[in-house]
Amino acid sequence: MRIVINTLKISFYILCMCIFLSNYKKIVMPNEFFKIMLNSNGRSSSAEKKVDQSVGYQEVHSRDLRKESELDNAKAELGEVMEENARLKMALNHMEKDYHSLQLRFFDILKQQASKKAVNVAGHRIIEEPEELLSLCLGRSPREPKSDRETTASSNFIKVAQVDDGEENLKANLTLGLGSDETSLEEPNKNHAEAGGGEASSPPSSKTPKTMRNEDGEPPPQVNAKRARVSVRTRCDAPTMNDGCQWRKYGQKTAKGNPCPRAYYRCTVAPACPVRKQVQRCYEDMSILITTYEGTHNHPLPLTATCMASTTSAAASMLLSGSSTSHPGFDSTATPINGSEFRAFDNSRTQLYMPKSAHPLLPTITLDLTASTSSSSTFTSSLSSCSPSDSNNLPISWGNEYLRYGLLLSDKTQVGSYNLGKAFQEYFHQTYAEKIHQASSQVSLTESLTNAITSDPNFKSVIAVALSSMVGGGGDATHRSQGEGGERMGQQLKWGEAAHQFTSRK
DNA sequence: CGGATTTGACCCGCGC
DNA sequence: GCGCGGGTCAAATCCG
């Protein structure tokens, strides 16, 4: 397990470096070449013409020869650059393949572990847990056979759902989105809207909309089923965060405890898209915007939206796969994570919290993009100030080499047996924490190297931007085929921009 | 004029 | 059972 994770991480960084280098060359070298060409072909300028007329034939001839040799040199240089580009591309492709295979193996192992633990826990939990799982396939939604669903679903509700979703949904088997890809890891009861063919992965909220209720007015089964919500905290002056999607506001409420109104948005990219988001400003720090996403997009997303979707997808997956390893009897709602293990490798830069959930039913994970300074003090204050109700939170520190964002985990148990906090702690202890601990005891070359690289905040931000683009766009074959060259190119340009920013800051 | 936003009313789950 | 609060609806309004 550790080896796989280590290899994954190293591959990640190498991949980043390769992409960075290749894009940098692509962008910089043509410009240099262009300058050289301008210099060598500048004979047409009037000033130079005058000079040419005033010198003898020999001089002109020798100058032409010089320029030709310069041109040859430039051409040769260009050829070299192109060769190197090709080599880097090949290396990149190779890395990408390796990365994907490792990623697959990694998730296989995660799945296996989850299933092992599920076997060991109480029977009722075995039934419950799968519903909460999300896959990490970043938007791909392999659907369960329809028949499986129909056996568990209320027939009335299925009818309604099929009417609501329409044929569009029947066709779409792949989605890009927030990654609440429940079906890939079995969610038999949960979303009956999906039963119609795999779309609209979830009713947008725990409360079933009127249209989703059966004729008796009874909520469909599993209406209270827990789904992950991903909350993103960003510093943003605009009323909403530009996440690349199109949203339509459908409501606004002033929530208790926060005078700032909470706005409700629906995704309008596709008519039947179930994704909703809530946007609210932080009470204490108005510059912080809290955006909470819920649901899975049932349509291809633009590249920019894919970035956010991928990020939130990963977060949600982390949250929900962690839940599968939870232990009964641990109430995470009011109990801070026992941080002793984490403190063993505490570098006091990033902290994990277990706030009470903003939502009574849905586990929520919060990506805190405001903690850019990685300062534990600012992170703590921003959290406590923004969550007045979270008086029970205690910080847990962990190494931030492995985590770009501060992670806030919020979970509310339904019946008391659900224990996400412990699970989350275990999950990260198994994956990241142990590695950090290892690194401190057996400082390997690769660890030192990656730590050295990632300790640069500029580099990290560049990598974060680029990775989110890459993973978001590259993880989905459908999207790739739809996006085609244009988006691919855009991605590369983004890479180039990010890389350029990085180098220019240096 | 059509789409987006606003806003008061309504629904529903939860706690007491 | 009742009140509270979060979430949603839908008519009114705004805006390009």
Side-chain angles (χ1 to χ4, degrees):
Chain A
M1 182 68 175
R2 284 181 209 155
I3 295 170
V4 172
I5 295 165
N6 263 324
T7 319
L8 254 181
K9 191 186 69 174
I10 294 163
S11 300
F12 244 133
Y13 287 128
I14 295 173
L15 187 58
C16 293
M17 292 297 288
C18 286
I19 297 172
F20 163 67
L21 286 173
S22 60
N23 279 281
Y24 182 74
K25 291 234 171 192
K26 267 180 223 156
I27 287 169
V28 173
M29 295 312 293
N31 287 341
E32 288 176 359
F33 179 69
F34 185 61
K35 282 179 193 167
I36 293 168
M37 293 293 283
L38 275 181
N39 289 335
S40 59
N41 292 324
R43 279 174 292 181
S44 59
S45 73
S46 58
E48 208 161 321
K49 271 182 187 171
K50 286 175 188 171
V51 174
D52 280 349
Q53 287 168 358
S54 66
V55 297
Y57 172 78
Q58 292 270 345
E59 231 175 299
V60 173
H61 186 65
S62 64
R63 184 176 297 173
D64 283 347
L65 285 175
R66 242 183 293 137
K67 286 176 181 173
E68 274 179 22
S69 67
E70 275 181 14
L71 188 61
D72 287 342
N73 285 340
K75 280 180 182 174
E77 202 174 330
L78 180 66
E80 284 176 17
V81 169
M82 287 174 70
E83 268 181 34
E84 195 174 345
N85 237 342
R87 257 185 285 129
L88 285 169
K89 272 184 187 173
M90 283 177 60
L92 176 62
N93 287 336
H94 196 251
M95 293 280 184
E96 253 180 318
K97 281 178 191 170
D98 287 350
Y99 165 70
H100 284 304
S101 63
L102 281 169
Q103 199 179 30
L104 288 175
R105 283 179 57 192
F106 176 68
F107 295 133
D108 280 348
I109 292 168
L110 278 185
K111 266 192 213 172
Q112 285 170 9
Q113 285 196 342
S115 58
K116 274 182 194 170
K117 293 198 176 181
V119 168
N120 293 333
V121 297
H124 70 281
R125 293 185 57 77
I126 296 175
I127 296 168
E128 283 178 9
E129 294 290 342
E131 298 178 13
E132 298 149 13
L133 296 179
L134 298 185
S135 82
L136 263 178
C137 59
L138 296 176
R140 262 176 82 188
S141 302
R143 300 295 167 183
E144 243 179 291
K146 196 175 164 184
S147 56
D148 290 349
R149 295 266 171 77
E150 288 176 348
T151 56
T152 58
S154 139
S155 57
N156 281 345
F157 184 77
I158 287 176
K159 282 176 193 169
V160 174
Q162 283 174 339
V163 169
D164 286 345
D165 290 341
E167 284 187 12
E168 254 189 83
N169 296 339
L170 296 171
K171 292 172 188 168
N173 289 324
L174 293 173
T175 64
L176 280 167
L178 293 173
S180 308
D181 181 17
E182 312 79 359
T183 51
S184 63
L185 286 176
E186 306 85 29
E187 192 149 337
N189 299 337
K190 166 188 166 180
N191 188 351
H192 307 290
E194 287 183 20
E199 245 345 275
S201 70
S202 57
S205 74
S206 64
K207 288 179 189 169
T208 309
K210 283 177 187 174
T211 54
M212 302 291 265
R213 290 181 199 126
N214 62 20
E215 293 165 3
D216 298 329
E218 277 197 2
Q222 296 296 323
V223 84
N224 290 332
K226 287 166 282 185
R227 291 184 310 278
R229 304 201 318 171
V230 179
S231 183
V232 181
R233 291 161 47 85
T234 53
R235 292 197 181 277
C236 179
D237 293 331
T240 63
M241 184 172 61
N242 181 15
D243 50 18
C245 257
Q246 290 180 337
W247 302 94
R248 178 197 164 107
K249 192 176 182 180
Y250 68 89
Q252 180 168 309
K253 266 276 191 190
T254 303
K256 199 185 178 187
N258 188 345
C260 305
R262 177 183 299 163
Y264 300 90
Y265 293 88
R266 269 198 198 94
C267 176
T268 58
V269 174
C273 181
V275 175
R276 299 186 182 196
K277 75 170 180 180
Q278 301 174 4
V279 179
Q280 188 172 28
R281 288 231 165 254
C282 177
Y283 174 35
E284 299 277 334
D285 187 350
M286 295 293 188
S287 66
I288 294 178
L289 198 67
I290 304 168
T291 308
T292 304
Y293 296 90
E294 187 181 323
T296 305
H297 292 283
N298 59 6
H299 50 82
L301 290 173
L303 179 69
T304 48
T306 309
C307 297
M308 178 57 71
S310 302
T311 306
T312 54
S313 167
S317 304
M318 228 154 48
L319 171 69
L320 294 181
S321 61
S323 74
S324 70
T325 65
S326 59
H327 294 174
F330 183 95
D331 182 8
S332 65
T333 60
T335 310
I337 299 175
N338 178 358
S340 58
E341 291 168 309
F342 283 85
R343 289 195 183 97
F345 39 84
D346 175 11
N347 65 2
S348 301
R349 279 182 286 178
T350 309
Q351 297 181 323
L352 169 67
Y353 298 83
M354 292 292 295
K356 283 180 182 175
S357 176
H359 192 284
L361 295 173
L362 307 182
T364 303
I365 189 166
T366 300
L367 296 175
D368 190 345
L369 309 187
T370 65
S372 57
T373 58
S374 296
S375 156
S376 61
S377 57
T378 56
F379 194 76
T380 303
S381 63
S382 70
L383 172 78
S384 54
S385 64
C386 290
S387 306
S389 62
D390 298 340
S391 55
N392 291 326
N393 301 340
L394 284 181
I396 301 300
S397 302
W398 75 26
N400 74 341
E401 284 93 340
Y402 298 90
L403 206 53
R404 162 75 176 83
Y405 307 118
L407 276 169
L408 306 171
L409 183 64
S410 166
D411 170 51
K412 178 86 171 189
T413 61
Q414 265 189 307
V415 199
S417 64
Y418 183 67
N419 168 16
L420 187 63
K422 182 73 177 175
F424 196 74
Q425 179 185 354
E426 283 179 356
Y427 177 81
F428 273 97
H429 180 68
Q430 286 168 5
T431 54
Y432 301 111
E434 284 183 5
K435 274 196 307 169
I436 299 168
H437 190 60
Q438 273 186 330
S440 62
S441 56
Q442 21 170 303
V443 190
S444 68
L445 178 63
T446 50
E447 291 286 342
S448 306
L449 190 63
T450 52
N451 286 344
I453 293 171
T454 56
S455 62
D456 185 318
N458 290 341
F459 182 85
K460 280 194 290 186
S461 59
V462 169
I463 293 305
V465 170
L467 272 183
S468 59
S469 310
M470 181 179 67
V471 173
D476 190 315
T478 307
H479 184 60
R480 205 179 298 185
S481 63
Q482 288 176 347
E484 290 169 340
E487 288 201 349
R488 198 75 182 158
M489 179 75 80
Q491 228 168 305
Q492 287 177 345
L493 282 175
K494 271 196 164 185
W495 260 104
E497 285 169 17
H500 193 65
Q501 280 175 9
F502 174 63
T503 51
S504 62
R505 275 188 223 150
K506 284 264 160 194

